[in-house]
Amino acid sequence: MVKLALRSGLRWKVSLAIACVGALVAVALSLVVHNAARVSMLNSSRDQMDDRVQIAQRYYESTGGKRMLRAQVNDPALPKQLREAAELGLRATYLQDNGSGAPEVWASTPLRDGKILSIHTRFKDRYDILNDLDRALIIGSVSVVLGGTALGILVGGQLSRRLRKAATAARKVADGESDIRVRDAIGGRVRDETDDLARAVDGMAEALRDRLEAERRVTADIAHELRTPVTGLLTAAELLPPGRPTELVRDRAQAMRTLVEDVLEVARLDGFAERAEMQDIELGEFVERRVRAAAPEAEVTVLRTAYVSTDPRRLERILGNLLANAAKHGKGPVEVTVEGRVLRVRDHGPGFPEELLREGPSRFRTGSEDRAGKGHGLGLTIAAGQARVLGARLTFRNADPVVEGGSGAIAVLWLPESSPTSTSSFPVISV
């Protein structure tokens, strides 16, 4: 099952929340005001009609049966409720609302001769006032919602802008720019939760940086201290008499020396202190010569060459490590393709393990069982570190059996068009 995720900015979420709250408050207050005004208007109309019917009763009884204007005696249209109240000897008012226009207000009172005096009218002027009040409430509610939305956009935009600055600064810190501080990046004089988050990220980055630096120094110091005894061991192995045991000792000593050199190189790359010495080279011709020397059995195809500004020594190191990885963990034929600034190395083995594709290369991890048992997992780590120094982008993926014909691991190096920054321009990406 595929979960659909709707992504929206913080600005619009805050604006929508404020608009919804403003709309709910405006509607609630409008309903309360409308109902209160309507009840007050109807009660006032009932009281006024009650006063009128009392005046009409006094006039009728004092004049001997003369009626005032609009007063009726035994009106056939008199509502049943008023007729029943008059039979009980009660003076009453009644509101008759047929749903169209202003409601009709009735008032009735029983007379001494047993008849019922009634009067009724529509207070259309008051009903128009109520309609005007409703229009004013609607305009006010819309104004409140629009004002709240504008305020939400302003507040949410400010908060979103500060968070985006914090995210950009955090990415720069992750890319190795140790002088970046998230709190300084977001700026502003207002102190809120964003500042607390920025200070927490700065503290975490500083602690993590110190820890990584300590680990790097320990690794570099151990590798440096091992270099001298390993060199002495390799020299001593050369003095042993010829034979199979001597060959085994020399082979293991040489492997240990290579491992020490690789660990030192990884420690230097982790320190983000390496700088590229840029030269202009023709990529196609450079790759052909290096592949012919490092892996003569590999197939080189130059689809389109290009002149690039890069560090030839580091580029050769990356290419050599990719070829060595393909030879150790993959199967032939190994194919090297140059297309403009893009360099692609492919083998026809079982492909990269899922951990590498998901997390990227890691030292001392050689992958799955099919690709394990050889090396120490430093080759691709060094290649990724050197690519970072060059400002290049190194990606790893497995071949599509349908589209690309068969299995295999594919490493693609994208060289930049411009010289790299102090900490590189592109990250290492596993696809």
Side-chain angles (χ1 to χ4, degrees), residues 41-42 45 48-49 52 70 100-105 120-132 135:
M41 181 196 71
L42 294 177
S45 300
Q48 187 173 353
M49 291 300 294
R52 288 182 181 182
R70 293 185 180 181
S100 60
E104 191 170 10
V105 183
H120 65 95
T121 187
R122 293 179 185 271
F123 290 89
K124 191 175 183 303
D125 53 342
R126 299 188 180 186
Y127 189 79
D128 293 338
I129 293 175
L130 185 62
N131 290 336
D132 294 338
R135 283 192 292 269

Side-chain angles (χ1 to χ4, degrees), residues 262-410:
D262 288 345
V263 170
L264 282 174
E265 185 172 359
V266 169
R268 289 194 298 268
L269 292 172
D270 286 346
F272 293 95
E274 296 288 287
R275 296 294 180 267
E277 298 178 2
M278 311 304 291
Q279 297 181 21
D280 293 333
I281 63 171
E282 183 183 355
L283 186 59
E285 186 270 339
F286 177 86
V287 170
E288 284 183 333
R289 286 191 290 107
R290 296 305 188 273
V291 172
R292 201 160 39 239
E297 71 284 355
E299 302 175 3
V300 181
T301 303
V302 180
L303 301 178
R304 178 168 53 88
T305 189
Y307 283 91
V308 296
S309 178
T310 187
D311 189 328
R313 181 180 64 84
R314 299 184 187 277
L315 180 58
E316 181 178 2
R317 179 67 162 153
I318 296 173
L319 180 58
N321 283 13
L322 294 179
L323 291 172
N325 183 78
K328 289 180 180 179
H329 306 294
K331 294 181 181 179
V334 177
E335 301 173 357
V336 181
T337 305
V338 178
E339 186 174 1
R341 297 177 177 273
V342 180
L343 172 63
R344 184 178 294 104
V345 178
R346 176 189 177 180
D347 61 54
H348 290 75
F352 290 117
E354 291 299 325
E355 294 82 0
L356 187 144
L357 297 179
R358 184 174 59 252
E359 303 172 7
S362 177
R363 66 192 70 176
F364 301 109
R365 186 180 65 189
T366 58
S368 63
E369 294 180 359
D370 293 336
R371 298 173 64 88
K374 300 178 181 179
H376 302 88
L378 297 178
L380 294 182
T381 303
I382 292 175
Q386 295 291 3
R388 184 181 64 244
V389 176
L390 294 179
R393 182 158 59 101
L394 182 59
T395 64
F396 304 98
R397 67 182 180 87
N398 289 330
D400 189 330
V402 178
V403 179
E404 296 170 302
S407 62
I410 301 178

Side-chain angles (χ1 to χ4, degrees), residues 17-300:
I18 294 180
C20 291
V21 172
L24 291 176
V25 172
V27 169
L29 289 178
S30 298
L31 291 176
V32 170
V33 172
H34 172 83
N35 291 332
R38 180 180 176 84
V39 170
S40 176
M41 181 196 71
L42 294 177
N43 290 335
S44 175
S45 300
R46 286 173 180 268
D47 293 340
Q48 187 173 353
M49 291 300 294
D50 185 62
D51 293 339
R52 288 182 181 182
V53 78
Q54 292 183 59
I55 295 173
Q57 178 186 11
R58 288 193 294 269
Y59 181 80
Y60 180 86
E61 293 177 346
S62 63
T63 59
K66 292 184 179 181
R67 294 174 299 169
M68 293 184 64
L69 184 64
R70 293 185 180 181
Q72 300 291 332
V73 176
N74 291 336
D75 189 347
L78 185 68
K80 178 182 177 181
Q81 292 83 348
L82 294 182
R83 198 177 302 277
E84 293 175 350
E87 292 175 355
L88 298 175
L90 301 176
R91 188 178 72 250
T93 60
Y94 178 75
L95 179 66
Q96 188 174 16
D97 192 358
N98 54 13
S100 60
E104 191 170 10
V105 183
W106 289 77
S108 67
T109 184
L111 299 175
R112 294 176 181 176
D113 56 5
K115 297 179 181 180
I116 302 175
L117 179 68
S118 64
I119 187 171
H120 65 95
T121 187
R122 293 179 185 271
F123 290 89
K124 191 175 183 303
D125 53 342
R126 299 188 180 186
Y127 189 79
D128 293 338
I129 293 175
L130 185 62
N131 290 336
D132 294 338
L133 176 62
D134 290 341
R135 283 192 292 269
L137 290 175
I138 292 175
I139 294 175
S141 300
V142 172
S143 301
V144 168
V145 172
L146 293 179
T149 302
L151 179 62
I153 292 176
L154 180 63
V155 175
Q158 179 69 16
L159 182 59
S160 177
R161 187 161 47 250
R162 288 165 64 85
L163 290 176
R164 283 198 301 270
K165 290 181 178 179
T168 301
R171 282 193 291 268
K172 291 181 179 179
V173 172
D175 290 338
E177 298 188 29
S178 57
D179 57 334
I180 297 295
R181 293 295 179 271
V182 178
R183 178 62 194 87
D184 296 337
I186 63 176
R189 298 180 179 180
V190 179
R191 295 294 180 264
D192 53 17
E193 289 80 0
T194 310
D195 297 87
D196 298 336
L197 175 62
R199 279 189 283 268
V201 172
D202 287 337
M204 180 184 65
E206 189 68 28
L208 184 59
R209 190 181 302 113
D210 293 341
R211 180 175 179 179
L212 291 177
E213 178 63 20
E215 292 180 357
R216 186 192 67 83
R217 289 181 178 178
V218 169
T219 303
D221 292 343
I222 292 175
H224 183 75
E225 293 299 325
L226 287 176
R227 176 185 286 181
T228 301
V230 168
T231 302
L233 179 62
L234 191 60
T235 302
E238 296 294 334
L239 302 177
L240 296 176
R244 181 58 180 168
T246 300
E247 293 178 1
L248 292 176
V249 172
R250 290 175 181 173
D251 180 67
R252 292 300 88 194
Q254 183 61 44
M256 185 176 295
R257 181 178 183 179
T258 303
L259 174 60
V260 170
E261 296 296 334
D262 288 345
V263 170
L264 282 174
E265 185 172 359
V266 169
R268 289 194 298 268
L269 292 172
D270 286 346
F272 293 95
E274 296 288 287
R275 296 294 180 267
E277 298 178 2
M278 311 304 291
Q279 297 181 21
D280 293 333
I281 63 171
E282 183 183 355
L283 186 59
E285 186 270 339
F286 177 86
V287 170
E288 284 183 333
R289 286 191 290 107
R290 296 305 188 273
V291 172
R292 201 160 39 239
E297 71 284 355
E299 302 175 3
V300 181

